[in-house]
Amino acid sequence: MSSLSNSIQKRPWLGWLLFFGTMAAVFLLGVLTYTIIENRTAGQFAFVSSAEIDPLEPRAEAWGRFFPRQFNTYSQMADTTFRSKHLGSQRRDLLEDNPAFVILFAGFGFSRDYNLSRGHIYSVSDTRETLRTGAPTAAGDGPMPATCWTCKSPDVVRLMDEHGVAGFYAQKWSDFGDEVVNPINCATCHESDDMSLSLALPALTETFARLGRDISTASHQEMRSLTCAQCHVEYYFGEDNYLIFPWDEGMTAEDMGRYFDNIGFADWIHPLSRTPLIKAQHPDYEVFTTGIHYQRGVSCSDCHMPYKAEGGMKFTDHQIQSPLNNIAAACQTCHRQSEAELIRNVYDRQDMVKEVRVKLEAALVAAHLEAEFAWNLGATEDQMREALHLIRHAQWRWDYAAATHGGSFHAPLELTRTIGDGLDMAHRARRKIATTLAELGHIGEPPLPDVSTKELAQRYIGIDVEELQASKDRFLEELVPQWLQEAAARHERWDIRRRENPTNYINP
């Protein structure tokens, strides 16, 4: 057996091969060593298990000092350029896109103004700017209660600590205009001492307690959905505008409709049909729990806040958004289909649900207008009672499906079933009204107004959008700057006190 030196003498190219092979191995070993050291260092500085933050700190920037990666992704929600086929992060006028909504919400704030919601970072500014919150001129003025702030800002937690939960709800929306200025952020879902997930707002915990469940026993994976369920749910305002989730009978449309009937609740009386109606808010969690992803143990955060890696660190992406804008991280970690195929799967489900939903909208608009015609002909309450009950529950089922964010993907079977039930009720209501019209001497189709556009529909129900917008503009130009100035002064006082006591500077 020849020695290595003899082999190299006979075949010189072998020496060069060994030389370059050794150099490559040394280089790769150096890269590996450097990467290990860099990632270990990054881990030491990127992961903070505790931070010096006041438990009531509502400012995202204060949390961002300790968690820059999460804060940087959170800040990316300011980008509203993404638009999918049906939703997205852009501000879109849903009344312009769906004129039927104006008639369905006649007599309620959503007939004035209904825009597609943008990201969490706009939660406070969008609430100020919508026509639904009115145009107060001072504290104590305006139509809305303080309860409307509840899910819009972690400032609410501080105010509930100061005024008590019931005391906060009992105030007016305008009473806290200078206090509620920070949009939804870290403080809404995390404890300040160890960053564990928490339920900062009381309604969800109160609801589970009423139903006999101790929510403190929830697993971490459950909390990755329950933190969202603090706000992305159906709710109503009870006595003194106390916030309540109507889950006592269950979380399906039928269950909650029965609950509202049992307590005799209505959000408003429709001015055309005189139907006592319920406004669905956004029963996202309720619909999600009926879908296949929930049944397989997937949480809201798994898709809307997927994990990402940076500098060797794995952390949650806090740019909360549609998974369709982040297919690789949100979907393809589990699904191996192509991006185009996954998007097509989503759109197919959304299209099918919308197809039947639009049919229910058309039937409901006709039912409201035909009921108005019957009342004008002299119909009695006894003649109209059954039809109005059917309209109430048909519209509740429609709104349950229409108001939920992404529900046509989360649970398309459940929403199609719910809408189909509502469509049957709407047609039955119209038949009842037709019978009443015949009793009043009118045979055939009633003459109905043209409400095919947002402008025509709003004019028919008596909404002067220009006047409302002018009042809103004055509010935004005159009162809101005062609110922001007072809030800035308060934040400055906190920062001064923080230097003396880093963990208790808001209410020392």
Side-chain angles (χ1 to χ4, degrees):
M1 182 176 181
S2 61
S3 66
L4 179 60
S5 59
N6 291 336
S7 298
I8 293 175
Q9 287 178 356
K10 293 178 180 178
R11 292 183 288 275
W13 57 267
L14 184 59
W16 289 108
L17 180 63
L18 289 172
F19 172 76
F20 286 114
T22 303
M23 292 294 293
V26 170
F27 174 77
L28 293 173
L29 183 61
V31 170
L32 177 62
T33 303
Y34 175 79
T35 301
I36 292 173
I37 295 173
E38 180 189 41
N39 289 349
R40 180 178 296 173
T41 303
Q44 291 172 349
F45 289 96
F47 179 74
V48 182
S49 60
S50 62
E52 293 182 335
I53 303 175
D54 189 296
L56 296 175
E57 174 61 76
R59 295 172 294 176
E61 296 81 3
W63 295 68
R65 290 196 303 269
F66 298 95
F67 303 95
R69 285 181 169 84
Q70 289 85 346
F71 178 71
N72 287 340
T73 56
Y74 165 85
S75 300
Q76 290 168 16
M77 280 191 287
D79 180 2
T80 62
T81 55
F82 174 71
R83 177 169 180 169
S84 66
K85 184 175 183 179
H86 296 290
L87 296 170
S89 57
Q90 295 180 346
R91 175 180 285 177
R92 288 160 56 186
D93 187 342
L94 295 181
L95 299 182
E96 191 73 43
D97 294 346
N98 307 275
F101 289 10
V102 177
I103 298 301
L104 298 178
F105 293 132
F108 202 65
F110 280 80
S111 63
R112 301 176 176 182
D113 180 22
Y114 190 6
N115 293 316
L116 184 65
S117 56
R118 299 186 288 174
H120 285 174
I121 207 168
Y122 295 100
S123 60
V124 172
S125 58
D126 282 356
T127 303
R128 294 195 198 110
E129 292 169 13
T130 178
L131 297 178
R132 299 197 302 273
T133 53
T137 57
D141 189 24
M144 309 306 289
T147 318
C148 294
W149 282 124
T150 303
C151 285
K152 308 304 181 186
S153 168
D155 280 307
V156 169
V157 180
R158 173 176 58 85
L159 293 169
M160 287 180 171
D161 182 74
E162 180 179 343
H163 298 273
V165 176
F168 171 80
Y169 292 148
Q171 304 294 318
K172 296 286 281 187
W173 182 79
S174 57
D175 289 334
F176 295 125
D178 64 322
E179 298 276 3
V180 181
V181 296
N182 295 286
I184 299 164
N185 62 57
C186 325
T188 307
C189 303
H190 291 281
E191 294 285 0
S192 65
D193 55 352
D194 61 2
M195 301 303 115
S196 60
L197 294 174
S198 67
L199 305 177
L201 300 170
L204 182 64
T205 302
E206 292 171 349
T207 300
F208 276 116
R210 195 170 68 243
L211 300 178
R213 180 181 176 187
D214 180 3
I215 201 64
S216 66
T217 63
S219 68
H220 178 71
Q221 182 68 357
E222 287 179 297
M223 289 296 291
R224 284 167 57 81
S225 291
L226 290 175
T227 50
C228 307
Q230 294 181 95
C231 298
H232 285 265
V233 291
E234 171 59 21
Y235 60 83
Y236 72 101
F237 298 170
E239 186 177 356
D240 293 327
N241 293 309
Y242 202 95
L243 185 64
I244 302 172
F245 297 174
W247 295 352
D248 297 59
E249 300 284 338
M251 292 196 292
T252 66
E254 293 93 331
D255 293 335
M256 290 192 278
R258 184 167 56 253
Y259 171 88
F260 285 127
D261 280 354
N262 290 342
I263 66 172
F265 177 83
D267 280 297
W268 88 106
I269 306 298
H270 198 281
L272 304 181
S273 66
R274 306 184 195 177
T275 305
L277 293 171
I278 313 159
K279 175 67 189 80
Q281 308 306 325
H282 27 60
D284 306 331
Y285 179 72
E286 295 93 333
V287 172
F288 172 61
T289 61
T290 67
I292 192 65
H293 284 87
Y294 177 84
Q295 294 167 14
R296 295 294 184 267
V298 178
S299 74
C300 304
S301 298
D302 288 327
C303 302
H304 295 277
M305 303 174 66
Y307 291 112
K308 68 182 302 183
E310 183 177 292
M313 288 301 302
K314 179 181 177 181
F315 65 99
T316 300
D317 187 344
H318 281 65
Q319 184 184 3
I320 305 169
Q321 61 176 333
S322 167
L324 293 177
N325 198 32
N326 194 12
I327 290 285
C331 306
Q332 290 179 321
T333 53
C334 296
H335 300 285
R336 299 308 179 191
Q337 292 77 15
S338 68
E339 181 172 319
E341 185 175 355
L342 290 170
I343 292 175
R344 184 174 66 252
N345 293 158
V346 174
Y347 287 167
D348 285 348
R349 285 154 179 78
Q350 291 177 332
D351 289 344
M352 287 185 283
V353 172
K354 184 176 180 180
E355 182 181 344
V356 292
R357 194 202 78 200
V358 169
K359 292 178 181 178
L360 176 52
E361 289 169 10
L364 280 168
V365 168
H368 283 298
L369 295 173
E370 289 164 357
E372 179 192 31
F373 184 73
W375 286 118
N376 291 339
L377 284 183
T380 66
E381 291 187 6
D382 285 341
Q383 287 176 306
M384 297 294 290
R385 183 174 291 106
E386 187 174 353
L388 298 190
H389 181 76
L390 289 166
I391 293 173
R392 167 182 167 89
H393 282 278
Q395 179 148 332
W396 163 244
R397 283 157 176 74
W398 164 78
D399 206 4
Y400 182 90
T404 180
H405 300 98
S408 54
F409 169 74
H410 292 152
L413 293 178
E414 175 65 13
L415 285 196
T416 302
R417 183 193 68 79
T418 300
I419 295 169
D421 195 16
L423 190 59
D424 173 66
M425 291 179 169
H427 286 314
R428 286 163 55 197
R430 294 186 67 192
R431 289 196 294 271
K432 293 289 183 183
I433 294 170
T435 299
T436 297
L437 291 176
E439 293 171 355
L440 296 172
H442 181 88
I443 304 299
E445 295 289 331
L448 301 181
D450 181 3
V451 291
S452 58
T453 69
K454 171 186 174 182
E455 291 73 20
L456 289 171
Q458 288 183 328
R459 188 180 308 131
Y460 182 73
I461 64 175
I463 292 179
D464 187 339
V465 175
E466 290 185 4
E467 181 180 351
L468 292 171
Q469 190 61 58
S471 298
K472 176 62 74 171
D473 290 342
R474 285 194 297 272
F475 159 74
L476 294 172
E477 293 169 4
E478 297 173 7
L479 186 56
V480 170
Q482 297 177 29
W483 287 354
L484 296 177
Q485 186 176 9
E486 293 170 13
R490 181 174 56 256
H491 290 169
E492 185 175 356
R493 291 194 298 272
W494 290 351
D495 288 336
I496 292 172
R497 293 199 294 257
R498 179 172 57 83
R499 300 185 187 101
E500 300 174 356
N501 189 340
T503 59
N504 186 20
Y505 48 85
I506 290 180
N507 292 322

